[in-house]
Amino acid sequence: QIMQNSVVPTVDLSGENDDGRNMVVMPYLDLINTYDIFARPDQIRNWEGFARFKDLSWAEVMKLLETASVALAAKHDFGLVVGESTLQNLALTKQGLPLWVEAEMGYVEGMAPNRRFSSDVRRLLVSSWNVLASKYGEKFDPEALAQAVLPVHPMPVLQDLVEVSDVPMPLLQH
């Protein structure tokens, strides 16, 4: 059984493809992947309807991540966890609305909700840090990233982040 909290509805979980592997059928949504925008824009074949995301300024990238963080916090407000809250699983509509598009991953039974929520925030921070530091080099500003992602999350979630060793420390000093 697959448990999923994605905003992309699952149409069918029972199908099999020609070689016997299970498949998940979902409707087509006209979206663009944020990882592709930042890490490999040259591999996007069709920018139609998404040209506004092609050459984003640093301020526009931070606004986009702030909006994504607000969407993440809204899911948490309803008790939902994204699971793999990385840039690879964050898509944008043509209007710039963020959608977390993957199914929820499994967690250890009994894991506290704040620990799951802080894991979501950590994954967004670390994936953004890795991609944006590579893309922007010396222009990368960890303080701006922290200010874009962290303020919308409640203090218990942020306190739990401090206990996680793989978050780049400059992000947690703000």
Side-chain angles (χ1 to χ4, degrees):
Q1 181 179 12
I2 295 177
M3 179 179 179
Q4 63 112 7
N5 289 325
S6 176
V7 295
V8 180
T10 300
V11 176
D12 183 20
L13 290 173
S14 62
E16 288 187 5
N17 63 14
D18 292 340
D19 65 4
R21 289 182 293 156
N22 290 329
M23 63 182 176
V24 176
V25 180
M26 302 171 108
Y28 172 77
L29 297 175
D30 198 9
L31 304 170
I32 194 166
N33 181 281
T34 55
Y35 179 83
D36 292 339
I37 291 170
F38 300 137
R40 49 184 187 202
D42 54 321
Q43 294 182 18
I44 297 175
R45 293 188 183 130
N46 183 3
W47 284 92
E48 186 177 330
F50 297 100
R52 65 185 254 183
F53 302 117
K54 198 169 188 175
D55 294 307
L56 295 172
S57 69
W58 178 255
E60 290 169 321
V61 170
M62 292 301 99
K63 185 64 180 167
L64 187 151
L65 288 174
E66 180 181 341
T67 303
S69 193
V70 167
L72 186 61
K75 285 186 76 108
H76 294 167
D77 287 345
F78 285 100
L80 301 174
V81 181
V82 172
E84 283 298 319
S85 54
T86 63
L87 293 181
Q88 291 89 334
N89 292 322
L90 178 63
L92 299 172
T93 66
K94 290 180 179 180
Q95 295 77 27
L97 298 174
L99 295 176
W100 295 102
V101 295
E102 83 310 326
E104 179 180 352
M105 63 182 282
Y107 285 94
V108 175
E109 189 174 330
M111 182 183 272
N114 281 343
R115 178 58 54 106
R116 289 182 285 174
F117 300 155
S118 67
S119 290
D120 274 353
V121 176
R122 183 183 81 237
R123 285 184 178 96
L124 176 58
L125 281 171
V126 172
S127 71
S128 299
W129 175 288
N130 292 337
V131 170
L132 297 176
S134 176
K135 178 178 177 72
Y136 289 97
E138 291 181 13
K139 294 180 183 178
F140 174 68
D141 181 357
E143 183 172 333
L145 177 58
Q147 288 303 313
V149 173
L150 296 177
V152 299
H153 299 281
M155 189 53 68
V157 170
L158 298 178
Q159 288 170 334
D160 196 60
L161 265 178
V162 175
E163 296 176 19
V164 180
S165 63
D166 64 344
V167 174
M169 289 314 294
L171 290 176
L172 298 179
Q173 295 171 353
H174 302 286

